[in-house]
Amino acid sequence: MFKPHGQHLVAGEWVATAETFSNDPAHGEISNFSVGTVDLVNRACAAAEEAFWSYGYTSRAQRAAFLNAIADEIEARAEAITEIGSAETGLPAARLQGERGRTTGQLRLFADHILKGDYLDRRHDEAQPDRKPAPRPEIRLMQRPIGPVAVFGASNFPLAFSTAGGDTAAALAAGCPVVVKAHSAHPGTSEIVAEAIFAAIKSCGIHPGTFSLIQGGKRDVGHALVKNPFIKAVGFTGSLAGGRALFDLCAQRPEPIPFFGELGSVNPMFVLPGALKEKATELAAGWAGSLVMGAGQFCTNPGIAIVPRGSEGDAFVAATAEALAKTAPQTMLTSGIAQAYHDGKARFDGRNSVRSVLATESTGRECRPNLYEVQAEAFIEDHALSEEVFGPLGLVVRVASADEMPALAKNFEGQLTATMQMADEDTALARNLLPILERKAGRVLVNGFPTGVEVVDSMVHGGPYPASTNFGATSVGTMSIRRFLRPVSYQNIPAGVLPDDLA
Ligand code: NAP
């Protein structure tokens, strides 16, 4: 079993601090970790700025080789990563193995992506020396890396949205050094992945300031990181409350910087009447499976289903409850997340407008699914019902008829995803719903479940606030590199002076 040393990686050196905190593993041994300090954050950021002067000017081939080397080094530590990751998060080994493949696949995808060069979005307007009344100069455009980037990983993806996750991969691909604030729910997993990145730094001859990992333990670590003047953007995956606090700090800086926060979402699923008639039981089984996947701890968990009243809708609700009731207890990521789930359930239990369809008891870090039902009128009046409960909790909103669905859809805040379950006969209604759903969500799906997020060119994992803090961005897929780039125009610059990618 991997035994963490509990130190921070600051610009190529493993550093200990006096104070320590413990991880809270679901099973296995407890380990101690050095608490991060403001001084360490500032050292890491200064080193990242220094590293930018070389790393920001590496060739695309050098960066691609570096990204591939990180993937290799992660694979070389595969078993140890699964062991510590599973112990710290309670996620099953198979899930960690899958997530590791996704993480290394993501790094390799970015390597291929930058080699193609399209992301540079190079443009060229030729000079018009004879233009009247004034000549036009030659102008070229290209995307350049923005500088050091801060990354905050999420508790529920200890690999794919963490130390070497999508934000880090996209920033490194762009040419930006990265300072990671490790998530306190999986500090040992963060440490071993940081070791893999450090090994790749050494084998590829990359400036050591290009990557640092600071363990948390105290909130001032994250605050100091987003306020550090060398940091030019922040990639964050996590809660609405945490994301909003850090977003506000970024906006208050003397030099405000973009904060790319991917936050929570309830991912509404509209069950259209034709689909309900055709396959209520099948849909119920699918929804139940999506709700409990990973103990419901997915930002894309479809927590709310909108279903017409009537016997077919009743059958859907009953079949969902039946499928959920068969789920074995699952372990949640942290004691705090388990407590938040119990509190979220209590919020529903305390409301007269909400009917409990399936009520389960859970204790400690274990959870079981719960299902509730509410009428559309009461749902619209009570905003708290549309807030995310992180975990396997489903809410069915009953509409008097499917014609009410567009009005109800307008009521939702920004979402990562919105789903329509439909049959051919639902086409007219779906056409009415789509323009509303595409204003609400980063990804609209038909006849599927949103829990899986493909890492591809056309993926958008983002959406209007509060799903994310930048509706123009995605944190998954190759387009996520754009967050860490900025366009520069080069006017009348001689070929011998132009950057290599433009010359
Ligand atoms: P979290 O509690 O917000 O933690 C994320 C990171 O932010 C951690 O490093 C945490 O530090 C730090 N942090 C939180 N609040 C802070 C504050 N006020 N000041 C400074 N730093 C702060 O989120 P989580 O527990 O990892 O994830 C659960 C939530 O994330 C769920 O709501 C879920 O839906 C959402 N999520 C969203 C996505 C997405 O893509 N949109 C993906 C996964 C999860 P500590 O380590 O010290 O706590």
Side-chain angles (χ1 to χ4, degrees), residues 152-157 161 181-186 216-223 236-243 245-246 249 261-265 297-300 333-334 337 388 390 416 461 467-468 475-476:
F152 290 75
S155 57
N156 57 346
F157 280 92
F161 283 87
K181 146 71 180 70
H183 200 295
S184 52
H186 53 259
K218 283 196 179 154
R219 284 284 139 93
D220 61 356
V221 176
H223 296 178
F236 174 97
T237 306
S239 65
L240 176 57
L246 294 169
L249 284 177
E262 301 302 328
L263 312 174
S265 190
Q297 302 165 117
F298 281 119
C299 46
T300 48
L333 291 159
T334 66
I337 287 177
E388 179 192 38
F390 198 54
L416 292 170
H461 188 62
S468 87
S475 70
V476 177

Side-chain angles (χ1 to χ4, degrees), residues 435-480:
I436 304 166
L437 299 185
E438 70 180 17
R439 283 192 73 187
K440 298 287 177 183
R443 177 162 58 110
V444 183
L445 309 69
V446 162
N447 292 345
F449 296 94
T451 2
V453 184
E454 296 291 338
V455 185
V456 291
D457 290 335
S458 44
M459 177 51 66
V460 173
H461 188 62
Y465 187 85
S468 87
T469 53
N470 296 71
F471 51 69
T474 173
S475 70
V476 177
T478 50
M479 208 175 78
S480 66

Side-chain angles (χ1 to χ4, degrees), residues 25-58:
H27 50 84
E29 254 179 66
I30 292 178
S31 302
N32 292 325
F33 294 84
S34 290
V35 170
T37 63
V38 173
D39 177 55
L40 278 183
V41 168
N42 291 340
R43 272 167 56 189
C45 294
E49 169 64 13
E50 191 195 304
F52 183 73
W53 294 109
S54 61
Y55 188 69
Y57 298 86
T58 46

